[in-house]
Amino acid sequence: MLGSTHGTFTTGPGARVVACGRAPGSTVHGVTAAEGDLDVSGRPLYAPVPELDRLFRPGSVAVVGASDTEGHPDAALTRSLLRWAERVGARPYPVGPARPSVFGVPCVPTVADLPEPVDVAVILGGDPLTVIGELAAAKAGFAVALASGATGPGEAGAAARDGSAAAAGRPGPRLLGPGGGLGVFAEIRDDLDGPAIALITRTALQGRSVHTLQELGVRLSHWACTGDGADLGAADLIAYFTERPEVGAIACYLEGIGDGRSFLLAADRAARRGVPVVAVRAGRTATGTGPATAGGPAGADQVVDAAMRQYGVVQVTALDQLGDTAALLARARGPVAEGVAVYAPAGGTGAHVADLAAAAGLALPALARSRQDELRRWIPGHLGVANPVDGGAGPDGDRHHRRIIDTILADPAVGVLICPVGGASPAGGEGPARDLVAAARTTDKLVCAVWESPLGTEPAYRETLLGSSRVATFRTAGNCVTAVRAYLDHHRFTAAYRSPFDEAPRTPSPSYRKARALLHPGHRLSEHAAKQLLRAYGIRVPREQLVTSAAAAVRAAGLVGYPVVMKVSAPQPPHKTELGLVKVGLTSAGQVRDTYRELIEIARYEGIGLEGVLVCQMVERGVETAVGVRHDPLFGPTVTVGLGGALAEVLPDTAVRVPPFGAEQARAMLGELPARTLLDGVRGARPKDVDALVEVVLRVQRMALELGGELAELAIDPLMVLERGQGAMALDALAVCR
């Protein structure tokens, strides 16, 4: 199958890397975190793990709405479910009126007639809300509603989803669905070894390509289809799968995340345990949005991407990449080195693969001179041996491949070898494939093969490569490079990961009481009041005074020190500069007096209700940045940073993070900005105080956590970052209260 990672692949024992221990206060399999373990905003700090063993390995299964009527749409579903129950050793109970048996299995007329509280009840059709109520009375453990019914887009669908969620929220069975299909009941092979993939999709359609990887030797442990996610969603399943010892990676197809905080807590649990989470996310564009957001509100795409990066979720763009990347991450242990070498036994394919690898940001170090000299014993002088290595052999290979492979793998800078393999004839490629497999048995380094023949029926592929537990085999070079990049990134991430929830504030800071007194529900603060809010959290602002007369302005200028800046301060959000309400570089009392009168006249003409005029210290010689708080419908308060002032019009890109996060993430935000070099100093300018900017970002984050329920928006623009050691200063600020 195109784009699949084949074979039961490991690079040695202990495929999983555990970055750090289990979270304080969190436990496994249904035991929740300690009561009161909440952050300062009142939100939980650790993800409870739902007890789902009975869902995936039930002792009893009821099929509600069972039918064996020829041609009835539920007959095929009933047959499949009864076969599945037999396969897993569960007691089957078809439920349906006016029939003694279904496919030879005794049938009960109603849910109330079930002889025992069943572990799983599958609802084939009808109104799931009514059936869930009956199952609650019968003390069923789980309900799986296969059909969506009216849960499509639009008001009717929203009402149905709300009803399903309300039903699931009452005492009774946990609900998977409605909608989704038979993923939970798909056949899971038990004859494959090695760490497995646990699969989460919305419907069965998106998971089929990963499920069928079992035919190629890739182990699958679970498959759950969340449907509309009225109750159990991706976050619950990730938390559960993370604690399963057989799970090496979790593959997700996400159409809406549901509750953003729950998802991040589950991803944090996976990151702590070193379990990779790989995701394809639908609804990233206006075209792709719609029914895809049925699982919850759609957060801004930039925010979701940032949140995924914060917690190590690997995002890929296609379903074939989902299977390839998850399979590699599940099976391969941590890299010996991060350098990637490309070896093409024949032809010029190696240059193409090397280009793809370099474009993906992979390091392709030149082989050591001694290794290159050794390779020259078997490779002619007109072919490259630095990296990529061109073997230059015929299509069926030659006797030197094994020596070449061993020489490349012996280079200490190389941790990954990518080798495109294929033949012009059915027997072609056997030599290089056999040599790759043999060499992989002798090394802990990652060995990847890209089978280039479009057929995929050749013995070299089907038997030699897929039969190896030590070679990761791909059908496309692009998918191979994507998976290798994810492999290196994820192991680097887990090695350094420290959960931000461990350090998240649990009690308000002394600043909180001062700041809260400045907030007025439903109002926009003036610049002067917004700066007082910043002062309360230790964010530096210029020397300034709020005045209400020309004489007071002159006195204030003398105290602040010339030159000064004058601007109106009002709760309204006027574009002060465009309206002429900001004057800079005033150097005399006469200028200050005249400017005050001018500002008052403009404000009166524009209908602006003035609080007064600010006389401010003039700050120059820095880089203008902007730091702010915005509210995302999925994750709540978020923190943004970017260039500010006039620079923002030229380079408007911003970086964003979801609190809580630490100083390393704050610095990483700056690294994402295209104009990051401005802070380092360009064209002879001195480096700016990046440490001070990071500190402001962290203080703003504290504001977002403590005031998130009361502060709808905050913008510090510009925040002037001065020369190194001189700090940063908020020259203007805007705050909007909820």
Side-chain angles (χ1 to χ4, degrees):
M1 188 184 69
L2 288 178
S4 61
T5 303
H6 310 306
T8 310
F9 168 61
T10 59
T11 60
R16 181 179 299 171
V17 174
V18 179
C20 53
R22 190 171 299 151
S26 65
T27 51
V28 183
H29 297 310
V31 183
T32 58
E35 188 174 341
D37 207 358
L38 308 174
D39 72 5
V40 69
S41 69
R43 296 190 291 178
L45 287 167
Y46 303 109
V49 179
E51 175 53 72
L52 302 182
D53 287 352
R54 292 168 63 197
L55 173 62
F56 293 102
R57 301 291 184 268
S60 54
V61 176
V63 182
V64 183
S67 173
D68 58 1
T69 302
E70 188 69 27
H72 193 283
D74 289 337
L77 291 174
T78 301
R79 181 185 288 108
S80 295
L81 290 166
L82 294 178
R83 288 175 177 171
W84 180 83
E86 180 182 8
R87 189 165 62 247
V88 299
R91 296 177 295 280
Y93 296 108
V95 180
R99 61 183 72 220
S101 66
V102 172
F103 293 117
V105 180
C107 188
V108 298
T110 68
V111 168
D113 297 311
L114 288 167
E116 64 173 306
V118 295
D119 290 334
V120 176
V122 186
I123 306 170
L124 295 188
D127 180 9
L129 306 185
T130 301
V131 179
I132 290 171
E134 297 171 354
L135 292 170
K139 296 181 170 52
F142 293 91
V144 180
L146 296 188
S148 291
T151 58
E155 294 182 4
R161 286 191 295 275
D162 291 344
S164 297
R170 296 194 293 267
R174 297 299 305 269
L175 172 64
L176 190 64
L182 290 171
V184 169
F185 311 106
E187 182 175 359
I188 303 294
R189 290 176 54 176
D190 58 7
D191 60 335
L192 299 175
D193 297 323
I197 298 173
L199 177 61
I200 304 168
T201 59
R202 184 180 179 189
T203 71
L205 289 175
Q206 297 99 20
R208 191 62 59 190
S209 61
V210 177
H211 178 261
T212 54
L213 289 180
Q214 295 179 108
E215 300 174 11
L216 303 172
V218 177
R219 183 184 175 195
L220 192 71
S221 62
H222 305 79
W223 183 9
C225 299
T226 60
D228 291 333
D231 179 19
L232 290 171
D236 300 292
L237 294 160
I238 290 171
Y240 172 76
F241 292 148
T242 292
E243 300 296 338
R244 299 297 306 175
E246 69 271 27
V247 172
I250 302 168
C252 309
Y253 176 89
L254 302 174
E255 294 185 357
I257 288 175
D259 177 75
R261 179 68 164 212
S262 296
F263 184 86
L264 295 187
L265 288 171
D268 170 68
R269 179 176 284 275
R272 292 171 184 267
R273 304 284 285 176
V275 179
V277 179
V278 186
V280 168
R281 185 163 59 85
R284 298 176 65 97
T285 65
T287 303
T289 306
T293 59
D301 190 59
Q302 182 191 20
V303 177
V304 179
D305 279 344
M308 297 281 193
R309 286 195 301 273
Q310 280 178 249
Y311 294 93
V313 177
V314 177
Q315 291 198 83
V316 293
T317 58
L319 291 173
D320 58 339
Q321 292 179 349
L322 180 67
D324 277 357
T325 304
L328 180 62
L329 287 172
R331 286 157 161 70
R333 72 176 185 180
V336 175
E338 294 207 352
V340 176
V342 177
Y343 168 50
T349 309
H352 171 63
V353 176
D355 285 344
L356 292 175
L362 298 177
L364 284 87
L367 299 181
R369 174 55 59 186
S370 60
R371 304 299 173 192
Q372 295 186 44
D373 291 342
E374 189 173 355
L375 290 173
R376 281 291 177 221
R377 298 167 57 189
W378 312 295
I379 298 176
H382 65 284
L383 298 177
V385 293
N387 192 10
V389 176
D390 187 348
D396 294 332
D398 65 26
R399 59 191 176 87
H400 298 305
H401 286 311
R402 175 62 194 277
R403 294 187 179 94
I404 294 172
I405 293 168
D406 286 342
T407 301
I408 296 171
L409 289 173
D411 193 299
V414 173
V416 180
L417 173 63
I418 300 176
C419 184
V421 183
S425 65
E430 179 61 42
R434 186 174 57 249
D435 290 337
L436 271 179
V437 169
R441 294 195 195 102
T442 67
T443 182
D444 286 336
K445 298 183 178 183
L446 175 59
V447 177
C448 301
V450 180
W451 185 256
E452 296 184 297
S453 170
L455 296 178
T457 58
E458 298 85 348
Y461 168 63
R462 283 281 173 178
E463 299 172 12
T464 305
L465 292 175
L466 294 187
S468 170
S469 64
R470 304 300 294 267
V471 176
T473 303
F474 300 82
R475 294 303 306 275
T476 69
N479 278 15
C480 176
V481 167
T482 297
V484 169
R485 170 64 188 267
Y487 158 75
L488 294 172
D489 286 349
H490 186 266
H491 284 286
R492 192 183 310 116
F493 170 85
T494 54
Y497 186 71
R498 297 295 180 269
S499 173
F501 293 111
D502 286 347
E503 304 299 325
R506 290 162 171 78
T507 57
S509 67
S511 302
Y512 172 67
R513 185 173 298 176
K514 298 178 186 177
R516 194 178 183 197
L518 298 169
L519 302 178
H520 304 288
H523 288 75
R524 186 182 301 267
L525 301 185
S526 68
E527 177 183 337
H528 182 60
K531 285 180 175 176
Q532 287 181 303
L533 192 65
L534 301 183
R535 281 195 185 100
Y537 277 89
I539 297 172
R540 188 177 167 198
V541 300
R543 297 188 303 273
E544 64 181 34
Q545 290 193 19
L546 181 67
V547 299
T548 55
S549 70
V554 172
R555 289 194 297 272
L559 293 172
V560 168
Y562 289 103
V564 297
V565 175
M566 293 180 66
K567 48 188 169 179
V568 301
S569 181
Q572 294 96 326
H575 299 287
K576 295 193 289 283
T577 302
E578 289 84 345
L579 294 176
L581 295 173
V582 178
K583 303 295 182 181
V584 302
L586 307 176
T587 58
S588 69
Q591 286 182 326
V592 168
R593 188 178 296 108
D594 292 343
T595 298
Y596 179 88
R597 293 168 180 157
E598 181 183 356
L599 293 176
I600 295 296
E601 184 176 345
I602 295 173
R604 185 179 297 114
Y605 176 79
E606 295 291 344
I608 297 171
L610 280 182
E611 180 187 46
V613 172
L614 284 173
V615 180
C616 310
Q617 171 190 3
M618 187 167 173
V619 179
E620 299 180 280
R621 304 178 67 83
V623 172
E624 293 183 335
T625 63
V627 179
V629 176
R630 296 176 184 170
H631 187 85
D632 182 79
L634 190 61
F635 297 105
T638 64
V639 177
T640 60
V641 65
L643 292 182
L647 289 173
E649 299 177 7
V650 182
L651 294 169
D653 289 337
T654 60
V656 62
R657 290 294 184 275
V658 178
F661 57 86
E664 289 186 5
Q665 284 291 336
R667 290 185 185 278
M669 292 172 74
L670 304 183
E672 295 171 13
L673 300 176
R676 171 66 174 83
T677 53
L678 291 176
L679 296 169
D680 296 328
V682 294
R683 293 185 176 273
R686 292 188 177 183
K688 301 305 181 284
D689 201 334
V690 173
D691 291 343
L693 176 54
V694 168
E695 182 63 25
V696 171
V697 171
L698 294 175
R699 290 178 182 270
V700 168
Q701 176 196 210
R702 184 72 184 229
M703 294 176 67
L705 287 168
E706 295 186 349
L707 303 174
E710 301 160 276
L711 188 64
E713 181 182 354
L714 173 73
I716 307 173
D717 185 7
L719 174 74
M720 187 71 81
V721 184
L722 307 175
E723 291 181 358
R724 184 178 294 165
Q726 296 182 12
M729 193 174 293
L731 305 189
D732 201 349
L734 176 149
V736 181
C737 305
R738 288 187 176 279

